[in-house]
């Protein structure tokens, strides 16, 4: 409604008298504008008051926006609003643009309000005859300059400082000397003294960056040039640098303590930015000039006084600049010609009544202003009441209203007013003080000895308050206690020091001179020509401004807006009744209501009065008192109604009719509570020309009777409505009952008809069922007869066929049995013959494979071992390239190994050739043997034939007997094939080659042993070699990849595992070659080679225990090693073995311990790379000092599936009650692959500055801080960045240092396993992909089943290469893990060394400074002894001078008082 009505009225379409808007800011502004534009054309004023934070500033903006909007509604006579380029803004826009400038320089954040106005202002808007806005003027009151030097915690200084510091560009930073390097990491707003006292909090409504943009835009809108804006900002920056000036103490030539500037660069920057001379600025800060009787006296200030002088100079500069800014704003927005102004509308934004724990000069002036405004408000309310009564022509008596003129006289009246005596005390100069002023006040208002309250009851002070310099003034809103010793005199003088005057008048910039002239014009009285200007005190200036303000308000029509703050928490939908009552009392609203209620507070027009209360006389006939006002005079009808009302009210109440009956309405009235009779004096109700005026008593009685009759009427209407509802419900139920009866009768008829149908259907169903039963019996008998016949016939046929089949099977069995026996015998004979032949062939092939193939296989393995040894030596040589002795030794061994490899290759070629020759010879020999066997059989047959032939003559018989059969056959067979000597020669050659091969093997083993000795010597330090942990990969083979690295593989265990498989094969080979005596020795050597374990093919240096493992818990190991004294190498090795064993036991226990959980206190710190509002990255502690349980949680067998979980733990009460919270995750789990590093201590943040949790009480903060002082209890885990944080750090505090070290070692071990199993191998030894995949598992979990790429599928190869490569792979992982551990240990050692060096430097600096201080103290002691003697002499002389000075001061005070009394008596 406000918006629509305001739009109509702004276009002159609405009727302002037709509808009156309700109480609202827009309504008041609209009414003031309409009254201003009425026939009287009287100026208007809107007074806005309230507490800080109640909304005075925003209300002022709303009123100004509304008034300027109405005033800018022209037909184009004014400026076009600045649409064209280079055209000025309109008056409306310039007036509105002045608000951001005044807010930037005069508003600040307080505990109650983020945008609190620290000054009062009166904005006068000038309108011409047509109601068009012509311009405006701004007048300010009492700027709070004390805030410049000090403001409380949580508050801020004026907005312009923070806007410049946070919103300035990089170029402006360089121009105004805002170097980030000088802040030491702090924000600029927190670094400067004048802005960082309250913590420099951010504003909730808007940012300082946007505020600077708005301020600069407004300055440019005011027509300020860029040079002027830059000069103003330079002065603001100069004030900030001036606040950074610090002072140190030094001794003058006279032995007095004086101030000296610590950093001259800061003073130089301040002087440059302020535009003043540097030396004069230093003089203004460190020297005070006094002029006594024309002589100038220079006094050197102490450091404390110099700081006061610095703050006073800064307040002077800022106050003058504020006045200059207001003047510049007025020059821009003021109207050009006063004759054009027909009327004006003023908006006063003034501070409300204030009462704090400690009240000073500012509160006295503010409350004095509110007293004056309250008096004007009371007079205005009384005047309105009087005008209303006269206009309505009613009889009324004089209304007394509270007059606080006595309070105003107490404050301002001369010569005994509080401010008047304060001015008198200020005139005394250095002799005046706050204490003397308070004493004079008590003597004036409390002259009696035990008097505590003045005669007018406005001034009071108890004896204790008088001793403390406290006095109380009873204002209209309550009593306020003021503390005199809070700088009343200094604040009232507010004089410019002589040093500052010379600083501003000479060698200063034009802007400073202009600002200084504005300050002088405001603080000095204008006198006749030829006389020097007389300085005015702040109270005098303020009283003059207040008097002019009151005069202006009295000449206008005032409108009042009281801003109320519902609560102090600045929360919506929350109202505190007590605070609202206090604000209503302080604002004078309750007093105004009391004044209004003393007259006729209830006012109704005639028509509204008659329509509202005619219902109170229902029994009065219409001819006596009509119900309608048609054709009736409202005033006469109201008079008649009032007479009838009083007449009926005096009669007793009777509810019976003339015939004795009681109506329904009267019955209801009888049951209700009866109101008071309508009996009251007729004078309490006055009938005016257009309104009826009532006091509170008659109004309450009329309202009570009206409510009584309304309740009776509503009850009667409700009874009729309930009766109608019941009747309607009865009719509905009756109709429903009839419908149900009809439906029930229909259902009964249909049920009877259905029963008849069921009886007929049952008869038909019975007949059909009997027919079906008889049909079923017939069918069953017929099927049984047919089935019986078929069974009999089938049985006869099957019996005949079975007999035939049995006979056939018997005959077939007899024939097949004879055939199987014959076939089995034949196959048995063939198998025996084939087995014998195959056995001989198999034994021969087996012997050949054992002799030559095994050697070749061994040679291939030796080649692989040499290749791996060569790669290892090359890697070692690359790490120690600069060591000539190791390179030469390795080079010689390498050459010898190459020579042996070439020799072995040559022997293998020769051996292969000899093998082929032997195989060829043996095959020929077997063929000849077969031929010989055939010849022997032929000869035997010939012999048998000759024996069976008839006898021959004796001569022939002798010849036949002389022929030898077997030798001939053997001679024929051997002579044509190969001789046994050649075969023996070949076998001897094979034996020689085998011996040479064995010799080469022995030499190779010797070389390996020698290389291992070189490595051992290099490790012990005998040779200058630095193989590091790289040799560990060939010195030992681990048992368990996940837990212990470097334990021994026992040769006997490997041999026992291989022996069961070799022994049966060795026995078979021995039985096969037993007849071969020539090859027995060679086969035994091969058997020895086959029984060797894998550990003999590689050099080994055993670590750990060489014997059987014993119980880890039951065996006590003597602590030896590098931490204890040893006498021999054997003791050293035993000590190292014991230390390694204990370390391995600790590592084994870490995994179950971490899975069970470790109690820690955690902080999680996230850093963001995004630049925030303050220009820095965002830092955030997600978790603060929370008790956690750190656990290792497995989500799978792989290491990458393992995470660290952080579960919160309950407090002592939760543990006592059994409410464990270990299952509740307090933070996101941290995967192992997200951990970048684990560091001891608190890396990246000071452990002593770690924040505590918000839930902790203040009593525990010191204990937590003391626990954080021990850096040895902290552990830092740095994780990978996330989209929300550029870095993540977890700070863990443990209960003891040993627990911290165990957790550090364990976590680094897990990360090393993760690097070895999941990352890139850091060593030169590589592992096949299949083995790497099988190794990707969590320590302690079962290995995955899968094919081994090194598994030997050939049963005749006895060397366990799979085990060898598995052991090499384990050793490679142990070597990688050892490299990672050594790298982390080296990094920790370097950090500790840097920390020790830093501490050593600090200690040296402290020692030097202590020595210098001792030297300085000795010199000071000698100087003090000398000065004490001179001081005694000066004190003796000073006593006489003091007595003379006291007499002169007393005389001077008497003369000044007489002079003041004479001046007061002279009429103006």
């Amino acid at each position: 409604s406000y918006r629509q009505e305001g739009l109509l009225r702004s276009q002159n379409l609405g009727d302002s008298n037709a509808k009156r808007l309700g109480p609202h800011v827009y309504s008041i502004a609209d009414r003031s504008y309409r009254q201003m534009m009425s026939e009287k054309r009287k100026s208007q004023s809107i007074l806005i008051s309230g507490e800080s934070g109640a909304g005075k500033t925003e209300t002022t903006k709303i009123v100004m926006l509304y008034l300027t909007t109405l005033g800018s509604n022209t037909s184009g006579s004014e400026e076009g609003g600045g649409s064209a380029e280079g055209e000025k803004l309109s008056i409306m826009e310039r007036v509105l643009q002045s608000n951001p400038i005044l807010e930037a320089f005069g508003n600040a954040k307080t505990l109650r309000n983020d945008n609190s106005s620290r000054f009062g202002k009166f904005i006068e808007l000038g309108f011409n005859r047509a109601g068009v806005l012509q311009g405006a003027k701004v007048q300010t009151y009492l700027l709070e300059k004390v805030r410049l030097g000090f403001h409380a915690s949580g508050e801020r200084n004026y907005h312009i400082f923070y806007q410049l510091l946070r919103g300035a560009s990089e170029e402006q930073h360089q121009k105004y000397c805002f170097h980030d390097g000088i802040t030491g990491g702090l924000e600029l707003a927190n670094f400067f003294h004048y802005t960082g006292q309250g913590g420099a909090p951010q504003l909730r409504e808007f940012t300082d960056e946007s505020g600077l943009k708005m301020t600069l835009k407004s300055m440019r809108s005011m027509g300020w040039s860029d040079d002027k804006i830059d000069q103003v900002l330079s002065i603001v920056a100069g004030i900030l640098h001036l606040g950074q000036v610090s002072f140190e103490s030094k001794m003058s030539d006279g032995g007095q303590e004086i101030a000296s500037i610590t950093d001259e660069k800061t003073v130089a920057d301040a002087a440059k930015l302020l535009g003043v001379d540097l030396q004069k600025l230093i003089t203004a800060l460190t020297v005070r000039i006094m002029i006594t009787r024309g002589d100038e006296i220079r006094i050197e200030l102490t450091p404390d006084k110099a700081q006061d002088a610095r703050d006073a100079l800064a307040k002077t500069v800022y106050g003058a600049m504020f006045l200059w800014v207001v003047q510049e704003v007025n020059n821009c927005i003021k109207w050009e010609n006063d004759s054009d102004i027909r009327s004006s509308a003023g908006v006063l934004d003034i501070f409300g009544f204030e009462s704090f724990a400690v009240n000073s000069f500012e509160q006295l002036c503010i409350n004095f202003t509110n007293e004056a405004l309250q008096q004007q408000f009371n007079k205005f309310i009384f005047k309105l009441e009087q005008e209303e009564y006269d206009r309505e022509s009613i009889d009324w008596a004089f209304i007394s209203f509270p007059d606080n003129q006595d309070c105003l006289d107490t404050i301002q009246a001369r010569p005994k007013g509080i401010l008047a005596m304060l001015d008198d005390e200020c005139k005394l100069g250095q002799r005046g003080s706050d204490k003397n002023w308070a004493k004079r006040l008590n003597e004036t208002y409390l002259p009696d000895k035990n008097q505590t309250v003045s005669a007018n009851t406005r001034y009071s002070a108890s004896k204790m308050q008088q001793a403390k310099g406290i006095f109380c003034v009873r204002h209209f809103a309550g009593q306020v206690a003021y503390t005199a010793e809070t700088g009343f005199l200094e604040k009232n003088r507010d004089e410019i020091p002589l040093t500052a005057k010379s600083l501003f008048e000479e060698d200063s910039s034009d802007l400073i001179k202009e600002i200084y002239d504005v300050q002088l014009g405001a603080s000095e009285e204008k006198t006749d020509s030829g006389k020097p200007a007389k300085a005015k005190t702040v109270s005098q200036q303020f009283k003059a401004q207040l008097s002019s303000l009151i005069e202006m308000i009295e000449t206008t029509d005032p409108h009042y807006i009281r801003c109320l703050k519902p609560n102090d928490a600045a929360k919506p939908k929350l109202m505190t009744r007590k605070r609202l009552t206090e604000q209503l009392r302080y604002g004078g609203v309750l007093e105004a209501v009391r004044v209004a209620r003393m007259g006729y507070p209830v006012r109704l027009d005639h028509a509204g009065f008659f329509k509202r209360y005619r219902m109170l006389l229902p029994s009065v006939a219409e001819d006596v008192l009509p119900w309608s006002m048609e054709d009736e005079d409202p005033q006469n009808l109201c008079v008649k109604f009032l007479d009838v009302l009083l007449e009926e009210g005096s009669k007793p109440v009777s509810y019976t009719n003339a015939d004795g009956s009681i109506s329904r309405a009267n019955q209801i009235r009888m049951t209700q509570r009866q109101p008071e009779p309508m009996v009251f004096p007729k004078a309490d109700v006055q009938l005016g020309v257009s309104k009826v005026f009532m006091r509170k008593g008659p109004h309450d009685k009329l309202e009570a009777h009206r409510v009584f009759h309304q309740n009776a009427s509503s009850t009667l209407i409700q009874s009729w409505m309930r009766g109608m509802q019941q009747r309607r419900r009865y009719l509905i139920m009756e109709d429903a009952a009839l419908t149900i009866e009809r439906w029930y009768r229909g259902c009964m008829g249909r049920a009877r008809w259905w029963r008849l149908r069921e009886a007929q259907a049952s008869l038909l169903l019975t007949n059909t069922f009997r027919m079906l039963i008889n049909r079923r019996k017939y069918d069953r008998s017929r099927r049984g007869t047919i089935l019986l016949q078929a069974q009999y016939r089938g049985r006869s046929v099957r019996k005949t066929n079975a007999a035939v089949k049995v006979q056939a099977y018997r005959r077939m069995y007899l024939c097949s049995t004879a055939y199987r026996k014959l076939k089995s015998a034949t196959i048995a004979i063939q198998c025996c013959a084939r087995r014998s032949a195959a056995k001989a062939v198999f034994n021969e092939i087996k012997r050949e494979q054992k002799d030559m193939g095994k050697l070749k296989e061994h040679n291939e393995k030796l080649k692989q071992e040499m290749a791996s040894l060569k790669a290892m030596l090359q890697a070692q040589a690359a790490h120690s390239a600069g060591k000539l002795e190791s390179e030469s030794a390795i080079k010689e061994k390498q050459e010898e190994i190459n020579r042996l490899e070439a020799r072995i290759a040559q022997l293998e070629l020769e051996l292969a050739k000899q093998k082929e020759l032997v195989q060829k010879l043996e095959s020929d020999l077997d063929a000849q043997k077969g031929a010989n066997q055939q010849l022997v059989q032929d000869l035997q047959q010939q012999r048998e034939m000759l024996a069976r032939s008839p006898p021959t003559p004796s001569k022939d018989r002798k010849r036949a007997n002389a022929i030898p059969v077997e030798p001939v056959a053997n001679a024929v067979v051997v002579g044509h094939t190969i001789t046994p000597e050649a075969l023996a020669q070949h076998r001897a050659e094979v034996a020689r080659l085998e011996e040479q091969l064995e010799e080469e093997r022995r030499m190779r083993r010797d070389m390996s042993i020698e290389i291992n000795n070189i490595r051992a010597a290099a490790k012990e330090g005998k040779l200058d070699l630095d193989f590091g942990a790289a040799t560990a990969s060939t010195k030992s083979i681990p048992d368990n990849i996940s837990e212990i690295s470097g334990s021994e593989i026992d040769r006997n265990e490997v041999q026992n595992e291989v022996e069961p498989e070799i022994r049966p094969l060795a026995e078979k080979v021995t039985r096969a070659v037993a007849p071969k005596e020539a090859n027995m020795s060679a086969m035994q050597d091969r058997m020895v080679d086959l029984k060797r374990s894998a550990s003999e093919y590689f050099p080994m240096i055993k670590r750990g225990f060489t014997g059987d493992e014993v119980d880890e818990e039951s065996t006590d190991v003597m602590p030896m090693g590098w931490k204890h004294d040893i006498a021999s190498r054997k003791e050293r090795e035993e000590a190292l073995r014991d230390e390694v064993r204990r370390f391995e036991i600790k590592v084994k226990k870490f995994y179950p311990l971490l899975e069970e959980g470790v109690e820690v206190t955690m902080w999680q710190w996230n850093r963001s790379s995004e630049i925030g509002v303050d220009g820095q990255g965002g830092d955030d502690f997600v978790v603060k000092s929370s008790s956690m349980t750190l656990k290792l949680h497995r989500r799978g067998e792989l290491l990458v599936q393992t995470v660290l979980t952080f579960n919160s733990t309950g407090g002592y009460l939760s543990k006592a009650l059994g409410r464990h919270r270990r299952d509740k995750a307090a933070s996101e789990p941290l995967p192992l692959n997200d951990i970048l590093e684990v560091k001891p201590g608190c890396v990246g943040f000071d452990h002593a500055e770690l924040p505590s949790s918000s839930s902790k009480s203040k009593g525990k903060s010191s204990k937590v801080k003391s626990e954080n002082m021990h850096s040895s209890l902290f552990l830092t885990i740095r994780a990978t960045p996330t989209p929300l944080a550029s870095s993540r750090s977890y700070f863990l505090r443990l209960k003891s240092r040993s627990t911290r070290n165990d957790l550090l070692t364990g976590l680094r071990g897990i990360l090393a396993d993760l690097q070895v199993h999941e990352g890139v191998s850091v060593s030169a030894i590589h592992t096949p992909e299949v083995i790497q995949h099988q190794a990707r598992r969590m320590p302690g979990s079962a290995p995955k089943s899968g094919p081994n790429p090194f598994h030997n599928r050939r049963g005749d190869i006895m060397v366990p290469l799979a085990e060898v490569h598995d052991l090499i792979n384990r050793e490679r992982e142990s070597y990688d893990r050892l490299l990672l551990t050594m790298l982390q240990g080296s990094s920790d050692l370097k950090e500790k060394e840097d920390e020790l060096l830093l501490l050593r430097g600090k200690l040296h600096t402290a020692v030097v400074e202590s020595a210098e201080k001792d030297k300085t103290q000795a010199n000071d002691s000698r100087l003090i002894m000398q000065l004490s003697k001179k001081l005694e002499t000066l004190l003796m002389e000073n006593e006489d001078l003091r007595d003379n000075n006291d007499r002169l001061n007393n005389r001077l005070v008497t003369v000044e008082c007489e002079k003041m009394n004479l001046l007061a008596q002279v009429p103006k």
Side-chain angles (χ1 to χ4, degrees), residues 1150 1154 1162 1164 1190-1193 1199-1206 1228-1240 1275-1282 1287-1292 1303-1316 1318-1319 1338 1380 1384:
F1150 176 75
L1154 191 55
M1162 189 185 78
Q1164 182 178 350
L1190 178 64
K1191 287 187 178 181
L1192 187 67
H1193 180 64
L1199 278 173
V1200 295
Q1201 297 176 333
T1202 305
V1203 297
L1204 292 176
T1205 60
F1206 305 94
E1228 292 291 334
L1230 180 62
L1232 288 182
N1233 56 351
D1234 286 353
I1235 299 178
L1236 297 179
E1237 60 179 357
V1238 182
K1239 290 283 188 178
L1275 182 69
T1276 303
I1277 300 177
R1278 192 165 65 89
T1280 56
T1282 62
S1287 64
R1288 293 184 295 167
S1289 299
Y1290 296 83
F1291 304 129
L1292 308 179
L1303 182 60
L1304 177 65
T1305 305
L1307 287 177
R1308 285 182 172 178
I1310 293 177
L1311 295 179
D1313 291 337
L1314 181 64
Q1315 173 67 29
V1316 170
E1318 305 296 336
M1338 183 67 191
L1380 294 174
Q1384 295 174 350

Side-chain angles (χ1 to χ4, degrees), residues 124 126-128 134 137 334-343:
E124 184 179 3
F127 298 88
N128 61 8
Q134 297 297 313
K137 289 193 300 185
K334 69 179 181 180
W335 49 82
E336 297 179 356
N337 192 359
D338 293 339
S339 61
D340 296 336
I341 304 302
R342 180 63 180 83
S343 57

Side-chain angles (χ1 to χ4, degrees), residues 388-418:
E388 181 77 15
Y389 296 157
D390 292 339
R391 185 171 55 252
E392 294 293 331
S393 301
I394 65 173
D395 297 334
W396 64 282
F398 179 78
I399 302 174
S400 62
F401 66 94
D403 188 6
N404 56 349
Q405 185 62 40
D406 55 346
C407 182
L408 295 176
D409 294 339
T410 304
I411 296 176
Q412 69 174 354
R414 297 189 62 89
K416 295 183 180 181
I418 295 175

Side-chain angles (χ1 to χ4, degrees), residues 577-611:
R577 185 182 299 274
K578 182 179 179 182
R579 293 287 293 116
L580 286 176
T581 305
E582 292 176 355
Q583 295 177 65
L584 291 174
R585 182 183 300 109
Y586 294 162
V589 178
L590 297 182
E591 191 67 23
V593 172
R594 188 188 68 81
V595 172
R597 292 183 63 180
M598 292 174 64
Y600 297 93
V602 182
R603 301 160 191 182
L604 296 174
D605 56 357
H606 294 158
F609 176 77
F610 185 79
K611 291 179 181 179

Side-chain angles (χ1 to χ4, degrees), residues 759-825:
Q760 185 66 25
S762 63
L763 180 60
L764 180 61
L765 181 61
T766 302
N767 296 333
T768 305
F769 183 71
R770 290 172 181 170
M771 181 269 293
L772 291 176
I773 290 175
N774 294 329
R775 178 70 178 268
R776 184 179 180 184
K777 290 181 179 179
Y778 168 76
D779 291 340
R780 188 180 298 171
S781 301
R782 183 172 178 274
R783 284 196 301 272
T785 303
I786 295 173
L787 181 61
L788 180 61
Q789 293 175 357
Q791 289 288 340
Y792 176 76
R793 293 169 185 165
R795 183 178 181 185
S796 299
V797 175
R798 285 193 295 273
K799 186 174 181 180
T800 304
N801 294 336
V804 174
K805 193 171 183 179
V806 169
Q807 294 175 1
Y809 271 104
R810 177 61 182 171
R811 297 187 188 96
M812 180 186 66
Y813 173 74
L814 294 176
C815 295
S816 62
T817 300
Y819 171 75
R820 282 196 300 271
K821 287 181 180 180
L822 179 60
K823 182 179 179 181
S824 177

Side-chain angles (χ1 to χ4, degrees), residues 136 209 211 255 316 551 633 826 858 917 921 942 1089 1127 1171-1172 1175 1238 1296:
E209 291 83 353
T316 300
E551 292 176 359
D633 184 15
T826 305
H858 288 180
L917 183 58
L921 293 176
Q942 291 178 5
D1089 292 339
I1171 303 302
V1238 182
S1296 62

Side-chain angles (χ1 to χ4, degrees), residues 20-40:
R20 185 173 181 179
L21 299 177
H24 196 274
V25 175
Y26 288 110
S27 173
I28 296 175
D30 183 79
R31 186 164 61 251
S32 65
Y33 185 79
R34 300 305 161 191
Q35 291 180 5
M36 182 185 68
M37 297 303 297
S38 63
E39 295 180 357
K40 296 181 180 181

